[in-house]
Amino acid sequence: MLQTVDVEKICAGRHEDPFSILGLHAADAGCTAVRAFLPDAHSVDVVAFDSDRLLGTMACLHVDGFFEFRSSKELPKAYRLDVRWSNGTTTRLDDPYRFPNALQ
């Protein structure tokens, strides 16, 4: 379960294990969650990597740019993020937290 203290630590750049919070995770109540920290993002969509199908729109949980999308369905491990930035531009990103942690 996502804790407020974890969100605060991510936003402050002090979390000791961001891979445990960001990216794709099983969430409470049988849901799947995708989480991202994207300062200066206005909104974020999660799209399937192989088909560009919209999986959902992330909710902004913290004003500093912490976003989360929850789904009752299992989400594909390969996804991208369509980010609409505060300056009006849009970028499609591969979420670096969807890949395994190479530093373990």
Side-chain angles (χ1 to χ4, degrees):
M1 186 166 139
L2 183 63
Q3 303 290 322
T4 303
V5 67
D6 288 317
V7 174
E8 294 291 334
K9 284 182 175 182
I10 291 286
C11 292
R14 298 184 290 107
H15 201 282
E16 50 282 342
D17 184 13
F19 277 89
S20 69
I21 303 299
L22 301 174
L24 179 67
H25 292 278
D28 55 321
C31 292
T32 305
V34 175
R35 298 183 192 112
F37 178 57
L38 297 161
D40 295 324
H42 180 264
S43 62
V44 184
D45 289 333
V46 181
V47 295
F49 184 86
D50 58 350
S51 67
D52 294 337
R53 178 176 54 96
L54 176 66
L55 300 173
T57 299
M58 299 181 94
C60 184
L61 301 184
H62 193 283
V63 68
D64 288 343
F66 190 96
F67 291 84
E68 180 183 62
F69 169 66
R70 287 181 176 244
S71 176
S72 58
K73 299 176 185 174
E74 187 172 337
L75 296 173
K77 291 181 179 161
Y79 64 89
R80 290 186 174 153
L81 303 175
D82 281 347
V83 183
R84 283 173 293 292
W85 300 101
S86 297
N87 67 5
T89 61
T90 301
T91 307
R92 177 162 287 176
L93 302 174
D94 281 313
D95 182 1
Y97 291 95
R98 79 173 174 91
F99 300 100
N101 183 353
L103 301 176
Q104 288 182 337

